[in-house]
Structures are given as structure tokens and as C-alpha cells.
Amino acid sequence: MKRVLSGVQPTGNIHIGNYLGAMKQFVELQNEAECYFCVVNLHSHTVPQDPRQLLEKTRDVAALYLAIGIDPEKATIFVQSQIPAHAEACWLLQCVARVGELNRMIQFKEKSKGSEAVTAGLYTYPVLMAGDILLYHATHVPVGEDQKQHLELTRDIAERFNRDYKEIFTIPEPLIGKVGARIMSLDNPEKKMSKSTEGAYSNITLLDEPKLIEKKIKRAVTDSENLVRYDPENKPGVSNLLSIYSLLSGKTISELERQYEGAGYGQFKKDLAEATVQHLQPIQEKFREIRGSSYLDDVLKIGAEKAGAVAEKTLRQMKDAMGIL
Ligand code: TYM
């Protein structure tokens, strides 16, 4: 059977890039695979965090998992730090990963910008991620395109461990959607939409108010052609909006192009804003209902027990293979 693991960092605000690139797939996968969805709070500390806010955001992401439709009867939802095996596996795998491999990680290069005044955790971050995946013998890992290189590293580490110590790990495959794997920033469609927003109008978060969503979409950068056509190279802004619209509405991009033939950007943006609000409203309602509830605590407690049992077993196998008392 397919086994799925994925994670989202509780850093900043979860946006429609995270949702359309990865989390929406989680909801679909829970019906066909054994799924583990993790709030990866240890990853967040690779950059400075306000401890109190991190606690809040950790619960936010767990509540969002439930709010988007992940059913804890079908999938296991848990918080990374509540399973000590993740940090332990990370150390063992750091002794398998190579510095040369970590030096090639694009995300580290982008985030560190050549500075040495970044944490060592930012550098070894992909190894912690490899541990998250390998501890659960995940066969498939749904992620956005920006995580593809980390998945390749995970596969390399797993293959090396299997060869040098013992055949323990399953080699995971990334699951990267054809549309939505790289949602771009609304105010600069040359850049990926991100949580660490520089511009106030660059992303749409899952918890944005309807008025703000309308405003952000209205302001989204397009071009002067006033023609709704998918052409990422020459029309990156409009193409990005078309991808978002397609994923939120279930209509194909060509259907949308036909629908807006001769209509211009005004109507297109108005309808997209409406579709976005409509899609997010039930998620927001459910989020508000469960965010402060004891139900959320129960889900996380049961999730930690279930995930912990799987992770502990794999960790024990790793230790045995490596001669760790
Ligand atoms: P994170 O928290 O940055 O992002 C969560 C998920 O959202 C995807 N994503 C995007 N997809 C499309 N367009 C975008 N603009 C966009 N921005 C983000 C990410 O690819 C990711 O799938 N290292 C991971 C978290 C992680 C993880 C794991 C993932 C830790 N351990 C194990 C999978 C398996 C991260 O920082 O994601």
C-alpha cells in the first residue's frame, strides 16, 4: 500500500501556495494511502523564532490540517517535536549525509545568501526532513516544486544507508502536481509565493478576510494586454492567476480561457476573488471552531502515539544497523 508523509512548517502564515502546491493533495491522498501529516516545528527554528508565537502557529497548522478536510480517522496528524525519534534520526543521518551534498542545496544558498551568520540548523535542515520521511517508510511525499531537491537528497541518503548498513529504508517518490507546484507571488510573479512576505499584497493566506482577498487579487500584477491567456513565459501574472483559479474551481485552464474570451482582467479578477472567498470560507469557519478546542489536543495526542510507534520502530532498526547501544 502507498504510504504518504508530508509536513508544513508553522512559520509565518499558511498561504494558498502551500495549500494548492501541497496540502490540497493531502486531503485527496487520505482516501487512497496510509497518511502521516506532520507540523514540522523543529524545522522552524532554523531561522529565529518568537517562542510564544511558534507555539501558537504550531496549533494553527494542526487546526488547518483538520479545517481543510484531513480526517484523523483516516490520516495521522502529529507534531514533529512530540516524537523524539525525529531529532535522533536526524543526528544519525547527518553521519550518513555528505557536506558536498548539503553545499548543493539551492534553498540553503538562497536563504543564507552566502552569509556565515546563519544557524547550523539551516544547513542541516534537509537531513531533518530526510529523517521525517524515512522514519515512516513513506513511498510518496506530496510537496511543491521547491522541495524537489530535498527529496532527491533524501533518496540519496536512504540508498547510501541501505548499502552501507542495512536495507531498512523505502526509497520515497515525490508527488508534485502538474498545476500549482509553484504558485507565484501576486505582486511579483517572477518570485515564488512565500510565507515570509515582503510585500503585504504578495500572498493570500488561508485565513485572510474576504475584503482583503478581493483587494489582494485586484492589485495582483498582470500585464497591459487585457487578454486572459495562459503563457507563463510572457504573461507570468495572468498565468499564475489562471493556475490558482483552475485549482480552486476545478475548471481546466483552457475552459477558463474560453470563459473569459473578450472579458478583460476586471471581470476575471472579480470572479477569481469570489471563487477564492467561496473556497476558503468553510475552511475558515471550521478553523475557528476547532482551533481552541480540546478536540485538537485529542487529535494531536492520538497522532503522536500512532506516529511515535512507527518512528520508534524504525529508529531502533537504524540504531541496530549502526551499532548504537
Ligand atoms: P514549507 O512549510 O515551506 O511549505 C509547505 C508545503 O508547501 C509547498 N509550497 C508551495 N507550493 C507551491 N507554490 C508555492 N509558492 C509554495 N510554497 C511552499 C512546499 O513545497 C511544501 O510542500 N521542508 C518543508 C517541510 C518539511 C517536509 C518534511 C515536507 C519538513 N519535513 C517532510 C515533506 C516531507 C518546508 O519547508 O515546507
Side-chain angles (χ1 to χ4, degrees), residues 106-135:
I106 296 164
Q107 210 166 67
F108 175 72
K109 286 190 211 170
E110 280 173 1
K111 287 194 177 171
S112 61
K113 296 191 185 96
S115 161
E116 288 192 358
V118 291
T119 68
L122 188 66
Y123 185 62
T124 56
Y125 165 123
V127 187
L128 180 60
M129 177 164 164
D132 298 340
I133 297 167
L134 298 177
L135 279 173

Side-chain angles (χ1 to χ4, degrees), residues 9 17-18 125 129 132 143-144 146-147 180-181 183 192-193 195:
Q9 284 194 62
N18 301 126
Y125 165 123
M129 177 164 164
D132 298 340
V143 281
D146 62 340
Q147 299 300 320
I183 297 292
K192 189 185 72 164
M193 186 178 281
K195 291 182 201 149

Side-chain angles (χ1 to χ4, degrees), residues 66-98:
L66 293 168
I68 62 169
I70 296 173
D71 177 354
E73 299 283 328
K74 293 182 184 165
T76 304
I77 297 175
F78 67 102
V79 177
Q80 184 187 36
S81 63
Q82 295 191 321
I83 317 281
H86 287 248
E88 273 196 82
C90 177
W91 174 256
L92 299 179
L93 295 176
Q94 279 181 61
C95 300
V96 177
R98 306 282 193 254

Side-chain angles (χ1 to χ4, degrees), residues 8-24:
V8 174
Q9 284 194 62
T11 318
N13 293 316
I14 307 300
H15 52 73
I16 54 167
N18 301 126
Y19 178 63
L20 300 175
M23 295 164 79
K24 197 161 168 282

Side-chain angles (χ1 to χ4, degrees), residues 1 5 59 91 98 104 132 206 247 251 280 296 304:
M1 193 191 184
L5 177 129
R59 286 182 67 88
W91 174 256
R98 306 282 193 254
R104 285 194 287 277
D132 298 340
L206 296 194
L247 288 162
K251 291 181 185 170
L280 295 186
L296 182 60

